[in-house]
Each structure stands twice: as C-alpha cells, then as structure tokens.
C-alpha cells in the first residue's frame, strides 16, 4: 500500500471537511481508502545498468589490443558523426574503478558489460593477449568487491578486423565460439551469467546490408541473409562453448533487440496479431533460436535468397537458453487483418513523438508487450530487460546539474509498464538501464547521450544526472511511483 504523506493526508482531510460542510455526499472511495498500490518489484529483482566495450573503453591501441571493425569503420571518413571514434570514448580502460564506484553509488546490484574480443585475441583467433585478459579479470574483481554481479556479453559488435571476411565467413562463427569458450573458462569461476551476442540485426543487416554500421557494406539479399545465418550460428556455437567451459548452473542467454509488436487496441484479435507479428517479424533471429528452425514463411519470403545452412546448424542454434535478454526501446503497432500473415503494421504519423534520437519513438507499453509476446510464444524460463533507456539533449546548468526530466519521464513510464508484466507473473528477473554513462553512440558518435551520468568528453569528468538520482531511489525502494 502506498504511504500517504502527511501533507496529502492533511489536504484530503481538509477537502473532505469542506465537502461535508457543503452537504455534498462523498463518493465511497474518496476518503479512508488506499490511494493505490505502489508498483513494487519482487524481492530479488535485479537492478542494473548496461555498457559495451567499444562504447566506453577507449585504450584502443593499448596493451596489445588488436583493431576491430569499428576502429576501421570509425576511422573511415564520412562513416560516423563528425568522424568520431572510440579511440578514447569514456576512457573506462583506465577509469573503470571510478565507473564502478558510480555504479556502487547508485546501489546497482548488477552490471552488464561486454568484452572486446580483439583485446584478448588481437587477431581474432590464435595468440592470446594476456594483458587483455588481465584487464577483464580486474574489472570483474572490482565489480565483485563492490557487490555488483557481472553479466557479460561476449560480442557487442566490435569484431576483430583481422578475421577474413568478417561475418560473411562461416569460420567467424567458429572463431567466435572458441573465443567465447576461452573467456567463459577464464571468468566462469566468478561470473555466472553470460550473453553470447548483442542485437543480431545491428551487426548483420546494419553492417552488411544497410551499411550504416561497421563494416559499412551494402550486400545483396542473398549474401546478407548468409551473414544473418552466420550470426545466429555464432550464437548457437557460442552457447555450446560457454556451457562446455563453465560449471554446471552457469546461466547462458543473449541480448536481442527483437522487434516488439504492440496490439493497436488491446482486444483478442489484435493481441493475436501482435503474437503472429512477433514470430514473423523476428523470423531470421529470435524465432529461429527459439524454434530451432527457420519459419517456412521466412524461407518462402526470401525465395532464392534464403540462407543456406548445414544439417547440424540448428542443433546449435536451437540450444535451450537459461534466459532471454531483451533490449527494448521502441514499439511497432500492429492490427489484425485478413492477409496471409494475419497482421498489418501501422505506419506512425509524422507527428509521432520521439526522444533525442529520431528513431527512438516513445511507446512505453512496448516493454510490457515485448516480454509478454516472447513469453507467451516460447515459454522462456527467464527474461531480463538487457537494455532500455533513451537519448536526451543534456546540458550542464551553471550550477553543474543535468536536469534530464525527459529521460526520467521515459524511464518512469517504461518501468511502470514493466511492472505490469511482473504483476502478471511473467518471469522478468532484472532490468539493465542503457546506459551508466554517456558514450560512443556508434554512427552517431558523441552527438547522442544515453547515460544517466553525464560525461564531459574533454575532461572525462562524470556528473550524475537527475535520472541517476531518480534511478537510485527506484533501486532503494524496489518500486517505481
Ligand atoms: C542499442 O541498439 C545498442 O545495443 C547500444 O549499443 C546502443 O548504444 C543503444 O541501443 C542506443 O542506441 O539511425 O534510424 O537508422 C538499439 C538498436 C539499432 C537503434 C540501430 C538505432 C539506428 C536507427 N539500434 N538504430 S537509424
């Protein structure tokens, strides 16, 4: 039950007295009734923040790190906002203690971070760079010393540049499994939660078909579909390798930005349409993992360009997972129709609101439907929100504050909707806010800020934003108001 403050209580009493004096009958609920349940999360629900290696670490050429596709891409003129690169980023390679301290001050129980593959294997395979491994050992130990549980993503888009053909080459999927197995073996004594890959579409389609992300290619569908397949194969082989190298009970999953389909009106037919859309709209990726095969509709849709695969691929790709991590930012609204697929996507009007990044349209119910669609379809044992957050045009006031009320609005509304999923007993175990710090926002460089700590990229000074103060309160109370 929500606590009524003295002041609110006083106001209620005064209002009731005034109404009574005027001889008006009070509606039953107006006085002495609870004002509503607090949106409390279950005991043990994990609150965290997420980051990714290339976006925060910097130290790009230090201690033997090899170049990644994002080093190459960001150093190619015209590829990122004003030619920004991750050479320095948040300099977390040197300042990780300070950053973990920020996390500790928030009361974070967990942190999701990723590993720079080329820091540990400068050529992607073969020779290990001990100094790279040492860095991640130090970070993990520092997190544990601060009572923060590490959740580790093996691949968040920074692919060793030395791997021939990148994700066009099926051997890269095998190289990934070797690397993931190695990391799991060396961290698995202290880390119990691993994610294979982050967001298939971003490192496959956006890199190889759209060309907006590294390596910036615009391949025809037939080749691009093969890149997608190599991506999910890497995940599957990665799951097997992590399990083979860690103690029994280690939890393995992934972080996926599955398309989230929201029924345009909450009626049984539109809910069913959203479910169908979830399957088809994620057919090359999450659906293939969850069902251990490609949907026929997907293969038919791609026709002659459909991905080719080997008989055993889906034994790996369909490996049962301990959890599914969902990165959720935006909704896609759908309605039922009479087409073969049974749904139709609504086109948003030009007036549809968005956060600082134009793609980041606001529809907080996406976090509820994202969880619900996936759980209803595939009965997954556990779900985490592995990313959720937003960009804002943050400025530092003369008093040195960052008043990101729009970010607080975004977060509050999403957590309110996430609470609905929790209240309906969907197995949501934790939430990772993107991001702990402003960082290198890929093709947008440093022009878009997603952190709840402001970073002055000239001085590397960190300032907690209003949203950090707000999140701290959510964590302390384990509820959102
Ligand atoms: C996540 O991607 C990433 O995991 C994380 O690294 C990133 O920093 C964070 O979100 C915030 O972006 O410019 O219109 O073509 C979210 C999915 C996919 C959203 C690519 C932006 C580009 C859209 N992202 N997309 S557009």
């Amino acid at each position: 039950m929500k606590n009524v403050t003295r002041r609110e209580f006083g106001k209620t009493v005064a209002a009731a007295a005034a109404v009574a004096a005027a001889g008006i009958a009070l509606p039953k609920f107006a006085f002495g009734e609870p004002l509503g349940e607090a949106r409390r999360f279950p005991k043990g629900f994990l609150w965290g923040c997420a980051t990714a290696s290339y976006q925060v670490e910097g130290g790009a050429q230090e201690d033997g790190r090899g170049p990644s596709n994002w080093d190459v891409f960001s150093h190619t003129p015209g590829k990122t906002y004003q030619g920004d690169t991750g050479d320095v980023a948040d300099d977390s390679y040197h300042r990780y203690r300070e950053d973990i301290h920020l996390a500790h001050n928030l009361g974070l129980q967990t942190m999701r971070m990723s590993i720079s593959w080329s820091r540990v294997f400068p050529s992607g395979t073969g020779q290990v760079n001990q100094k790279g491994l040492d860095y991640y050992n130090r970070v993990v130990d520092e997190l544990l010393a601060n009572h923060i549980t590490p959740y580790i993503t093996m691949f968040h888009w920074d692919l060793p540049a030395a791997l021939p053909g990148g994700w066009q080459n099926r051997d890269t999927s095998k190289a990934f499994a070797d690397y993931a197995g190695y990391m799991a073996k060396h961290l698995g004594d202290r880390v119990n939660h691993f994610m294979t890959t982050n967001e298939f579409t971003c490192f496959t389609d956006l890199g190889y078909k759209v060309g907006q992300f590294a390596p910036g290619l615009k391949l025809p569908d037939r080749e691009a579909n093969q890149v997608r397949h190599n991506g999910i194969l890497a995940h599957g082989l990665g799951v097997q390798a992590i399990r083979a190298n860690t103690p029994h009970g280690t939890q393995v999953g992934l972080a996926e930005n599955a398309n989230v389909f929201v029924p345009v009106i909450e009626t049984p037919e539109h809910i069913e349409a959203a479910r169908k859309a979830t399957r088809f709209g994620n057919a090359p990726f999450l659906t293939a993992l969850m069902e251990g095969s490609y949907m026929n509709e997907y293969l038919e849709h791609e026709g002659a360009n459909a991905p080719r695969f080997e008989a055993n691929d889906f034994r790996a790709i369909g490996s049962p997972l301990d959890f599914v991590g969902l990165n959720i930012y935006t909704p896609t609204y759908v309605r039922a129709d009479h087409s073969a697929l049974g749904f139709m996507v609504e086109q948003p009007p030009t007036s549809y609101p968005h956060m600082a990044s134009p793609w980041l349209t606001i529809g907080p119910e996406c976090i509820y439907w994202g969880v619900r669609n996936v759980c209803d379809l595939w009965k997954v044992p556990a779900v985490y929100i592995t990313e959720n957050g937003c960009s804002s045009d943050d400025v530092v006031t003369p008093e040195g504050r960052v008043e990101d009320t729009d970010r607080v609005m975004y977060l509050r509304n999403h957590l309110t909707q996430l609470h609905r999923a929790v209240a309906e007993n969907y197995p949501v175990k934790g939430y990772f806010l993107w991001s702990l710090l402003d960082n290198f926002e890929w093709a947008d460089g440093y022009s878009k800020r997603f952190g709840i700590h402001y970073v002055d990229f000239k001085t590397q000074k960190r300032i907690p934003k209003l949203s950090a103060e707000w999140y701290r309160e959510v964590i302390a109370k384990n509820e959102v108001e």
Side-chain angles (χ1 to χ4, degrees), residues 52 55 112 156-157 198-199 202 206 212-213 257 327 329 359 387 434 439-442 444 450:
Q55 295 182 270
R112 174 177 171 237
H156 198 126
W157 310 350
N198 183 73
E199 301 190 348
C202 294
L206 289 182
Q212 184 192 359
F213 281 1
N257 62 330
N327 295 357
Y329 290 89
W359 59 268
E387 284 182 31
W434 184 273
N439 57 47
F440 176 75
E441 176 56 13
W442 306 112
D444 287 335
F450 276 79

Side-chain angles (χ1 to χ4, degrees), residues 5 16 20 30 79 90 108 124 160 166 171 206 248 255 258 262 293 306 409 414 464:
T5 64
K79 298 299 184 190
D90 289 327
L108 289 195
D171 290 345
L206 289 182
H248 184 73
V262 176
S293 61
M409 174 277 292
H414 281 77

Side-chain angles (χ1 to χ4, degrees), residues 22 83 97 105 130 143 155 165 180 183 203 275 292 375 378 385 391 445 458 461 465:
R97 282 201 178 82
N105 284 346
Q130 185 59 39
L143 285 167
F155 179 71
M183 291 313 303
F203 72 88
R275 206 167 299 161
C375 289
W378 297 304
I385 302 302
S391 47
K458 289 200 188 76
K461 188 177 170 215
K465 302 179 191 177

